[in-house]
Amino acid sequence: MENSKLEELKKLVEEGISCAKDAKDLNDLKVKFLGKKGEITNLLKSMKDLPAEERPQFGQMVNAVREQVETEIQKHLAEFEAAAKAAKIASESIDVTLPAKKMQYGHAHPNTKAMEEVERIFIGMGYEVVEGPEVELDKYNFEKLNIPAGHPARDEQDTFYINENILLRTQTSSVQARVMEKGKLPIRMICPGRVFRSDAVDATHSPSFHQIEGLVIDKHVSFADLKGTLDKFAKELFGPDTKTKLRPHHFPFTEPSAEVDVSCFKCGGKGCRFCKGEGWIEILGCGMVHPHVLEMCGIDPNEYQGFAFGVGLERIALLKYEIDDMRLLYENDTRFLNQF
Ligand code: DAH
């Protein structure tokens, strides 16, 4: 009777093995038959109810089946594991015949290139590069630059106001007062940065653009130093044959003030489509720092003088890379940017 029970169990195990789909099924099978409360284990436990003389033979039989079942399950487990490993390796294998992905190299934006070029030139002349906040106090953007409330110059530089006293700066000139107020003299700095105006977008205007401010304060600084500095700057930027011309102008924070034109580097000054037949191209505003501005920033104008200038970065980039629409600089179309 016990014999037939054993045979039955063996058959059940074999069926279980042939139905097992994975290692888990096999492990379940192992628990079911060989576990602490497994059916074969129970058979062994029931041995105590048999007459003593039958026990050895019965024990041998059950143990033989147990070993057989265990070996069988173990064998199939190993097969499942080997198959799983093979599948994993196959899924992770690298197809070395696949063509490699093309590397896309980026490069600096024309604005960044122009900015770095300007910085390189002034650093070479001993200038320090400083930065100021884009969200600025009215005090620094206007008041301390001789542009009090109600001054007509404010009309040309309408901007975005956070509140009555805080605005998005319209010019990097705001950094002039911040640097002067610190009281560390002499000063020789440039300040590149983003500025804002409530201008509509067109080929030459944008509500957000960049300027580079320059400021020099020292004893015995003259208009000749300003002229020489800017001439050197223009030659470095546009080539050694470039000439500069200063036209009288008005800025509230400089006196006297001027706008600077460079001879057209395309036609050499003869007049062409690029310079609209003028032979000259305007590139920046400048002047001697107004004594009242110095006073407002705690500097004695009888002891110190200085000059300042402001360059539009986009204007430089457009000229240098011969781009005729400022909007192209902001669209970030890689077909355009790849050309520089
Ligand atoms: N901040 C002026 C502007 O945005 C440009 C400028 C002119 C800056 C003369 C200067 C300067 O420092 O001296 O129009």
Side-chain angles (χ1 to χ4, degrees):
M1 180 245 154
E2 297 302 340
N3 229 337
S4 68
K5 176 108 202 250
L6 258 183
E7 281 308 310
E8 197 185 313
L9 279 181
K10 243 174 91 178
K11 240 178 89 192
L12 279 176
V13 173
E14 271 158 19
E15 269 171 32
I17 288 176
S18 65
C19 291
K21 290 186 299 297
D22 51 25
K24 186 185 171 296
D25 287 351
L26 285 179
N27 278 320
D28 290 348
L29 212 62
K30 207 166 154 183
V31 173
K32 187 162 177 238
F33 290 95
L34 305 173
K36 263 191 196 152
K37 291 179 181 160
E39 304 201 19
I40 294 179
T41 320
N42 285 344
L43 265 186
L44 275 177
K45 281 184 197 159
S46 71
M47 209 162 69
K48 64 182 185 313
D49 304 328
L50 288 179
E53 66 276 13
E54 287 180 27
R55 285 181 202 166
Q57 201 204 348
F58 178 74
Q60 254 177 16
M61 257 161 51
V62 178
N63 269 329
V65 170
R66 205 184 57 133
E67 257 166 47
Q68 228 179 330
V69 166
E70 199 166 295
T71 320
E72 206 48 24
I73 292 182
Q74 221 43 55
K75 193 180 110 199
H76 282 87
L77 255 181
E79 276 170 20
F80 273 128
E81 274 161 16
K85 195 170 165 190
K88 188 159 188 267
I89 289 172
S91 77
E92 286 174 359
S93 73
I94 297 166
D95 181 355
V96 288
T97 64
L98 211 64
K101 264 194 196 153
K102 236 185 173 176
M103 283 278 267
Q104 289 250 25
Y105 286 103
H107 62 80
H109 188 278
N111 261 0
T112 310
K113 280 183 154 181
M115 175 105 82
E116 284 171 353
E117 179 69 1
V118 174
E119 285 181 6
R120 183 190 66 78
I121 296 168
F122 281 104
I123 289 170
M125 290 195 258
Y127 285 59
E128 192 186 348
V129 180
V130 303
E131 277 184 25
E134 291 173 7
V135 180
E136 185 55 286
L137 294 170
D138 182 283
K139 177 173 89 169
Y140 292 117
N141 196 77
F142 290 130
E143 290 280 336
K144 292 207 169 212
L145 292 171
N146 249 354
I147 313 173
H151 192 288
R154 290 196 181 216
D155 292 348
E156 287 161 26
Q157 299 197 6
D158 193 14
T159 182
F160 304 89
Y161 283 84
I162 311 295
N163 62 34
E164 227 174 276
N165 296 317
I166 302 175
L167 43 78
L168 299 191
R169 68 178 175 193
T170 61
Q171 46 187 352
T172 44
S173 305
S174 56
V175 186
Q176 285 191 22
R178 285 184 170 272
V179 173
M180 283 191 271
E181 259 187 11
K182 284 199 181 140
K184 237 184 90 194
L185 293 166
I187 295 165
R188 197 177 293 155
M189 68 90 170
I190 58 165
C191 167
R194 190 187 285 270
V195 299
F196 305 84
R197 302 208 184 160
S198 70
D199 282 342
V201 174
D202 66 24
T204 53
H205 291 88
S206 161
S208 157
F209 56 104
H210 299 79
Q211 291 185 332
I212 301 169
E213 195 73 15
L215 178 69
V216 172
I217 306 281
D218 204 344
K219 292 174 175 169
H220 318 297
V221 177
S222 74
F223 202 90
D225 297 314
L226 170 61
K227 197 165 177 286
T229 301
L230 295 178
D231 194 65
K232 165 96 174 139
F233 167 61
K235 284 182 165 60
E236 287 266 340
L237 194 61
F238 296 115
D241 297 332
T242 309
K243 293 192 229 2
T244 46
K245 177 173 83 172
L246 278 78
R247 275 180 293 103
H249 198 80
H250 171 261
F251 295 104
F253 43 92
T254 44
E255 178 59 32
S257 305
E259 277 188 335
V260 177
D261 297 343
V262 291
S263 57
C264 176
F265 45 86
K266 267 256 140 159
C267 63
K270 287 194 277 300
C272 68
R273 205 177 67 87
F274 201 68
C275 57
K276 301 194 180 78
E278 298 274 330
W280 295 94
I281 300 169
E282 181 209 318
I283 59 157
L284 59 86
C286 66
M288 299 304 291
V289 179
H290 198 295
H292 189 222
V293 170
L294 291 174
E295 269 168 2
M296 281 191 283
C297 296
I299 297 173
D300 180 358
N302 295 314
E303 205 183 340
Y304 284 93
Q305 309 82 40
F307 63 75
F309 51 88
V311 192
L313 178 70
E314 278 78 359
R315 186 148 176 77
I316 300 290
L318 295 183
L319 288 171
K320 227 179 139 51
Y321 303 113
E322 299 182 27
I323 303 164
D324 53 16
D325 192 323
M326 191 164 153
R327 285 168 287 199
L328 291 165
L329 291 176
Y330 301 120
E331 281 164 2
N332 287 338
D333 184 331
T334 49
R335 288 169 303 179
F336 165 75
L337 294 176
N338 277 341
Q339 299 171 56
F340 306 96

